[in-house]
Structures are given as structure tokens and as C-alpha cells.
Amino acid sequence: MSKTKSAILAAIHETAKGLHAAGVMELVTLREFDSLCLPSVEPLSTSKIRNNRRIA
């Protein structure tokens, strides 16, 4: 995971991965931590997609 919201969330996520690896945390709970640590996605309109395609 490369882009986190903060260093604190990154540390918590690493701890959660370790707890899952040790068998203390279920995969479902780890996925909940994953969703907290992912950056938000900005919705794009079709016109923005078309404009970005022309630039690239």
C-alpha cells in the first residue's frame, strides 16, 4: 500500500497485517482496515475522460 491518508493509518494497517498473519485477526477485519487506508477516488465525468485521453 503506497498512498495512505496518514502515517498513523499506515502504522495501524501494518499492525493489522501482522495480527492477521499471526492468526489473531480475520481476513474480513483486515479488509475493513484496507478500505480505511485507501485514498478516496474522485469520480470523473465523460468529458474529463475524453479530455485526458487527448492529452496522453
Side-chain angles (χ1 to χ4, degrees):
M1 182 178 61
S2 60
K3 295 184 179 183
T4 57
K5 292 181 182 181
S6 71
I8 294 171
L9 278 179
I12 292 171
H13 187 258
E14 287 300 314
T15 303
K17 286 188 340 185
L19 290 171
H20 173 68
V24 180
M25 181 182 287
E26 294 183 8
L27 184 60
V28 173
T29 308
L30 182 61
R31 287 182 182 156
E32 291 172 356
F33 278 99
D34 287 341
S35 66
L36 287 173
C37 296
L38 291 174
S40 59
V41 177
E42 177 186 327
L44 295 175
S45 65
T46 53
S47 61
K48 283 186 177 182
I49 293 171
R50 287 183 187 134
N51 289 339
N52 285 339
R53 198 175 84 203
R54 290 183 194 142
I55 294 170

